[in-house]
Amino acid sequence: MTAENQTVVAVFVLTGLTERSELQVPLFLVFFTIYLITIVGNLGLIALIWKDPHLHTPMYLFLGSLAFADACASSSVTPKMLVNFLSKDHKMFLVECFTQFYFFGSSATTECFLLSVMAYDRYVAICNPLLYPVMMSNSLCMKFIYVSYIIGFLHLAIHVGLLVRLNFCKSNIIHYFYCEILQLFKISCTDPTINILLVLIFSALIQGFTFMTIIVSYFSVIFAILKTKSERGRRKAFSTCSAHLLSVSLFYGTIFLLYVRAGSGSGEDKDRMYSLFYTIIIPFLNPFIYSLRNKEVTSALRRKMK
């Protein structure tokens, strides 16, 4: 290969969601509105949990931490995408690209562990209610939260550290709306086999462990609920779990479609839509999922408004 072809890329160009100029302003308005609601919804939920003593329980500590992870995930991707809608300069420096991937990936990893801890919390609350104050003390919950964030930060530090060894000289164009790691592997002129292998191993371990924790916890919860003789007790138990189950289904369902089907030859447009849902729409939906049908949250909101 000639020296000219070996020129190392230091600046990437993101193609974004679409290259059609007539759609840029409408898309900007749509996603700006979504981002604004996402930030207000998630930070508002955190503030409500912090201010209202009735919500100082393990379940809401986890929910506040999940809201913060959602706000971080959305903020790592959406602002740059909004700028690109209105700008003709879609350049992104290498350091900026790696930083974006790091913060989005660490938030997503943290969310995996928080969702599994929230499932365990529901298991203890429903299956061992008398031991709940001991088994899920606030200090233990904070340790679970700290560990979830630490794992997220360390996990992505490994992948970003390995990204540094790659040289990008095939192209500087990323056909995506953010710096997604699989897209970076496509334009690497250094063999990314080690990187790909570690992404697959860590993804399988983290998602497999957290998803199985959720499945085992909810199977135990379902059996416990079915044994409950009181119809009112069953409805109450199901209602406390329904929001979390919906959030888990959206989160892991999208991950499955995005990464498990990555090697099936599905089109780039489909992959972009799955990523869009995973990075922007889920953080937008979660505050509504956890708040609208939650009587404790709506009651706390009424108290603060009065």
Side-chain angles (χ1 to χ4, degrees), residues 102 105-110 113 147-157:
Y102 176 81
S106 58
S107 299
T109 302
T110 299
F113 283 95
V147 169
S148 297
Y149 275 95
I150 289 167
I151 292 173
F153 294 145
L154 292 178
H155 173 224
L156 265 292

Side-chain angles (χ1 to χ4, degrees), residues 42 62 65-74 103-119 145 148-149 151-153 206-207 210 214 244 247-248 250-252 255 277-279 281-287 290:
N42 282 293
F62 294 135
S65 301
L66 184 70
F68 182 73
D70 277 335
C72 290
S74 184
F103 282 106
F104 172 73
S106 58
S107 299
T109 302
T110 299
E111 191 160 343
C112 284
F113 283 95
L114 287 174
L115 288 171
S116 67
V117 170
M118 289 170 77
I145 292 167
S148 297
Y149 275 95
I151 292 173
F153 294 145
I206 290 170
Q207 291 166 23
T210 55
I214 292 167
H244 184 248
S247 180
V248 165
L250 290 172
F251 185 81
Y252 283 94
I255 288 177
F277 198 82
Y278 176 58
T279 55
I281 304 302
I282 289 178
F284 164 73
L285 291 175
N286 274 344
Y290 285 105

Side-chain angles (χ1 to χ4, degrees), residues 16-131:
L17 287 178
T18 179
E19 295 181 44
R20 293 174 61 181
S21 58
E22 70 273 16
L23 293 178
Q24 301 302 314
V25 173
L27 285 173
F28 170 82
L29 294 173
V30 169
F31 286 103
F32 177 75
T33 304
I34 289 173
Y35 179 62
L36 194 62
I37 295 171
T38 300
I39 295 303
V40 171
N42 282 293
L43 296 186
L45 187 58
I46 293 168
L48 185 65
I49 292 167
W50 180 53
K51 286 284 187 180
D52 196 303
H54 297 89
L55 301 181
H56 293 178
T57 61
M59 183 172 75
Y60 292 105
L61 286 175
F62 294 135
L63 183 54
S65 301
L66 184 70
F68 182 73
D70 277 335
C72 290
S74 184
S75 296
S76 63
V77 173
T78 313
K80 181 65 178 177
M81 185 176 75
L82 292 174
V83 170
N84 287 346
F85 281 137
L86 300 181
S87 171
K88 292 183 179 179
D89 183 7
H90 294 182
K91 291 179 182 176
M92 185 179 241
F93 291 101
L94 191 68
V95 173
E96 189 183 356
C97 180
F98 287 0
T99 303
Q100 184 189 59
F101 168 67
Y102 176 81
F103 282 106
F104 172 73
S106 58
S107 299
T109 302
T110 299
E111 191 160 343
C112 284
F113 283 95
L114 287 174
L115 288 171
S116 67
V117 170
M118 289 170 77
Y120 176 71
D121 172 72
R122 292 299 83 207
Y123 158 74
V124 177
I126 293 169
C127 299
N128 297 286
L130 297 177
L131 295 175

